[in-house]
Amino acid sequence: QVQLVESGGGLVQPGGSLRLSCVASGSIAAMRSMSWYRQAPGKQREVVAVLTTGDSANYADSVKDRFFISRDIPKNTASLQMNSLKPEDTAVYYCNANLKTSPFAAWRDAWGQGTQVTVSS
């Protein structure tokens, strides 16, 4: 099995920064993308940032130029650097990876448990 664990969430003031980390462990034969999603109370989950093969990154308009996604392939980790945070960024943030657990397996999504980010003064 594959496990994704997020960390780095917490309470931060508007304008502040947080860095979220996601560590993937278990049987990972290949990984073609890692993403960050978020879900605010009473709202649908939305994609925040996506990093694909070749380190091509895409961001939601709401976070563009403020958030930065990166990954360390040898360590099977991904990060989300969040700058200039706004109260609207308050949500549970989830790490997602599209991967194969073996060369014979189908591509599938793996999810972390989520980490709470609260932006408030």
Side-chain angles (χ1 to χ4, degrees):
Q1 61 180 3
V2 174
Q3 185 177 33
L4 273 60
V5 179
E6 303 99 329
S7 63
L11 175 64
V12 64
Q13 296 183 10
S17 299
L18 281 176
R19 185 177 181 87
L20 305 183
S21 295
C22 174
V23 180
S25 61
S27 299
I28 303 174
M31 185 180 298
R32 64 183 179 184
S33 72
M34 296 194 75
S35 306
W36 287 94
Y37 288 72
R38 68 184 182 187
Q39 187 167 23
K43 303 192 70 176
Q44 297 184 44
R45 186 188 305 172
E46 63 177 349
V47 63
V48 176
V50 180
L51 189 64
T52 59
T53 301
D55 292 332
S56 178
N58 290 280
Y59 301 91
D61 289 340
S62 59
V63 306
K64 195 168 298 182
D65 300 323
R66 297 190 297 120
F67 290 13
F68 177 75
I69 185 173
S70 63
R71 68 175 181 174
D72 187 336
I73 296 177
K75 297 181 179 179
N76 288 322
T77 62
S79 298
L80 183 69
Q81 178 66 45
M82 305 185 296
N83 301 316
S84 301
L85 284 162
K86 306 174 180 179
E88 298 92 314
D89 296 318
T90 296
V92 177
Y93 284 72
Y94 297 91
C95 180
N96 167 273
N98 191 250
L99 51 81
K100 284 188 175 184
T101 57
S102 80
F104 313 102
W107 294 102
R108 73 174 185 88
D109 286 324
W111 293 89
Q113 82 288 348
T115 184
Q116 176 71 49
V117 172
T118 302
V119 185
S120 176
S121 59

